Structure formats: C-alpha cells, structure tokens
C-alpha cells in the first residue's frame, strides 16, 4: 500500500453527498520514514546486598511512536549478585522499522556484613534448645557436635573470607563445606562459653578446617564435618588424628603442631 512506501504519493479522494453524487479530487500523501527509536522509562541504577536477588524488569516500560507493543531484552550476564562490585545491565528494544534503543543501568553489589548480634540471634535459640542448666561443658560440646552434624549438609563450597558470615550462611541455609561446619561450630561453642580455635590443614589436594576445643580438661580436636568412614570425630587426641591421617591419606588431619596446643595423650 502507499502508506508503506516512503515518499510523496498522489491519491484520489472520493467525496459523496447524501444524494449519491460523487466527485474525486486529487491530493498528495507524504509518507515519512520512521526514524524514532523506542523510548525506555523506569530504568534506574540499583544497589543490592551480596546474595540477594533483583528484579530487572520492575518499573521498566518501553513505548514507541509507531508500534503499539514493543518487547525488550535484558542482558545481565555480566552481573554477579554473589560478589561485591559494580556491574552493568543492558536493556535493548527494537521497533518494526528497525530502530533500536539501548540503555544501561549500574548494579552495585555491597558486602553482606554479619554482626555479632546477628549471629547470636541465630545461635541463642539453638543453645537454649539443646542444652540444660546442669550440663558440663563437655556435655554441651557433644550436643553442639551432634546438632551441627544433623543440621548442616555438605555441598563442597563456602565463602572463606569471613568466618562469621559463613557461620551465618550455614545456619541460614543449612549447607556448606568443611569451613562452614567449622564456622557454625565456632559460633555455637563460643556462645556456649567453650574455648575453641580454628585448625587448618597443611598440605593435601584440598583445604580442610576443624576446631580445637577445651572444656576445662585440655585441648581436643573437634570436627563436625562428615567423613567417608563415618568415624566420630569428637574430642580426638593428636595421636588419634595422626592415626586417622595415616589411614585416610591426603594429609587429612595434617597440621602445623607448633601453632597449636598439644592435646592430652588420651
């Protein structure tokens, strides 16, 4: 049709009165090219805390001078909501004439900071549930050991930058790796008033973390992370973890003994 062709076109206009008399007049129809791209609205920079989700479409719309309905695409492939940083998300819309609109927004991911108060708000109800007033520290430590093993699942990954943050994540999500198990245990042990410290593997193909605890009768190894032999790893001596390492291999409980207090012999 003429309206689909850019340029000037002569057209005939038929005029008819109430008696059926007709006449035709000539006119010039000028068809202009559609050169206006779609227009976005509602695209704004956003700030989120790491680990949170985001709705890129919320509040966003697009209109066009010619097309009634215009769809748009969002490219958020460069955004990592689990890592602190500044990222760019790109919105693209194209009308039926081929006019394209591209607009970007900045996504700022801020660090998730876990305070001691936040962590203990999660820890305190657990301590209250699994302990009694007349329990010894060793009994409390064993209840903590059992609770962590029963309530945290192994997934093989964790954030090792901040033990408090990982303890919070472990309590919130109920999963993680050996660092998560160690961190959750440290939070519970510390809140329960049991002295503890982190132990880090030396050597091996992968890293491993566990706790040393002192219930008043000396320091012992305390590892809530599951092991393939399903061996109980509560209150182990240096000799016992050394024996297990020889059996298991991969420097499983190998650590720098000069950095830690020695355990009792039994």
């Amino acid at each position: 049709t003429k309206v689909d062709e850019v340029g000037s076109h002569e057209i005939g206009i038929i005029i008819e009165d109430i008696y059926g008399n007709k006449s035709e007049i000539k006119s010039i129809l000028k068809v202009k090219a559609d050169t206006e791209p779609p227009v976005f609205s509602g695209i704004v920079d956003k700030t989120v805390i790491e680990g949170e989700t985001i709705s890129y479409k919320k509040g966003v719309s697009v209109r066009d001078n010619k097309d009634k309905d215009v769809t748009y695409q969002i490219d958020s492939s460069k955004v990592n909501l689990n890592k602190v940083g500044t990222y760019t998300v790109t919105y693209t819309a194209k009308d039926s004439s081929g006019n394209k609109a591209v607009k970007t927004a900045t996504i700022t991911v801020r660090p998730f900071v876990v305070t001691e108060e936040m962590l203990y708000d999660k820890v305190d109800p657990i301590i209250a549930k699994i302990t009694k007033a007349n329990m010894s520290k060793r009994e409390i430590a064993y209840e903590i050991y059992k609770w962590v093993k029963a309530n945290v699942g192994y997934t093989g990954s964790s954030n090792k930058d901040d033990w408090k943050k990982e303890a919070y994540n472990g309590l919130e999500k109920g999963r993680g790796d050996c660092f998560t198990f160690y961190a959750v245990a440290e939070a519970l042990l510390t809140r329960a008033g049991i002295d503890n410290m982190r132990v880090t593997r030396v050597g091996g193909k992968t890293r491993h973390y566990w706790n040393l605890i002192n219930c008043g009768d000396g320091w012992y190894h305390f590892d809530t992370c599951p092991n393939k032999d399903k061996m109980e790893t509560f209150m182990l001596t240096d000799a016992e973890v050394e024996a297990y390492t020889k059996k298991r291999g991969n420097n499983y409980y190998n650590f720098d003994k000069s950095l830690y207090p020695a355990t009792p012999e039994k």
Side-chain angles (χ1 to χ4, degrees):
T1 63
K2 296 295 184 180
V3 294
D4 293 328
E5 300 176 10
V6 175
S8 297
H9 308 280
E10 184 180 87
I11 60 173
I13 301 175
I14 305 297
I15 301 174
E16 182 177 358
D17 62 21
I18 60 175
Y19 301 105
N21 301 307
K22 298 180 181 179
S23 62
E24 182 179 359
I25 62 174
K26 301 294 183 179
S27 182
I28 300 298
L29 173 66
K30 293 183 179 180
V31 180
K32 294 181 178 180
D34 175 21
T35 59
E36 293 185 29
V39 177
F40 280 107
S41 60
I43 296 177
V44 296
D45 296 339
K46 297 182 179 181
T47 298
V48 296
I49 302 299
E50 61 178 320
E52 291 183 344
T53 57
I54 191 172
S55 174
Y56 296 105
K57 290 186 176 182
K58 186 176 181 180
V60 175
S61 62
V62 60
R63 59 180 175 79
D64 186 65
N65 66 315
K66 177 184 176 184
D67 298 334
K68 183 177 180 181
D69 296 313
V70 182
T71 59
Y72 62 91
Q73 291 74 45
I74 301 172
D75 182 3
S76 59
S77 60
K78 296 179 180 179
V79 181
N80 185 350
L81 296 177
N82 294 312
K83 185 177 181 181
V84 174
T86 302
Y87 306 94
T88 299
V89 58
T90 302
Y91 296 78
T92 304
K94 191 175 183 180
D95 65 18
S96 60
S97 299
N99 300 305
K100 183 187 291 186
V102 180
K103 192 168 183 180
T104 62
T106 298
I107 307 299
T108 302
V109 181
R110 290 182 176 174
F112 173 52
V113 178
V114 174
T115 65
E116 191 173 85
E117 182 180 6
M118 289 171 59
L119 183 57
Y120 290 155
D121 279 346
K122 287 194 170 294
V123 166
D124 288 348
I126 300 169
I127 296 293
K129 183 178 180 179
I130 66 176
T131 65
K132 297 179 181 178
N134 61 348
M135 280 184 173
S136 66
K137 285 188 175 183
R138 189 184 183 103
E139 290 173 329
I140 293 172
Y142 190 53
E143 292 301 319
I144 290 173
Y145 172 84
K146 292 190 296 181
W147 188 92
V148 177
K149 290 186 77 70
N151 290 276
V152 180
Y154 190 86
T155 61
S157 63
S158 68
N159 184 332
K160 299 174 177 62
D161 296 333
D162 183 338
W163 79 266
K164 287 182 180 178
K165 182 187 297 184
E166 190 54 33
Y168 186 94
N169 288 335
L171 291 165
E172 178 78 11
K173 300 175 182 178
R175 62 181 182 270
D177 66 4
C178 61
F179 189 84
T180 313
F181 284 85
Y182 138 74
V184 171
E186 175 164 337
L188 290 162
L189 290 164
T190 301
R191 192 60 166 165
I194 298 172
D195 291 337
N196 64 93
M197 65 178 70
R198 181 196 311 178
V199 187
T200 303
R201 173 190 288 162
V202 174
K205 296 180 180 179
T206 59
R207 291 182 287 179
H208 187 54
Y209 304 86
W210 66 97
N211 310 81
L212 267 178
I213 69 170
N214 188 345
C215 296
D217 53 357
W219 291 92
Y220 288 87
H221 297 273
F222 178 103
D223 189 4
T224 53
C225 186
N227 59 78
K228 68 178 184 180
D229 299 304
K230 297 183 179 180
M231 181 182 80
E232 184 162 283
T233 47
F234 173 73
M235 302 289 281
L236 298 180
T237 64
D238 288 342
E240 287 172 323
V241 296
E242 185 175 346
Y244 183 68
T245 300
K246 289 180 179 179
K247 173 186 175 182
R248 177 73 182 267
N250 195 30
N251 293 286
Y252 197 81
Y253 280 127
N254 188 45
F255 63 100
D256 186 347
K257 292 183 178 180
S258 68
L259 300 177
Y260 307 96
T263 68
E265 294 183 2
K266 292 183 180 181

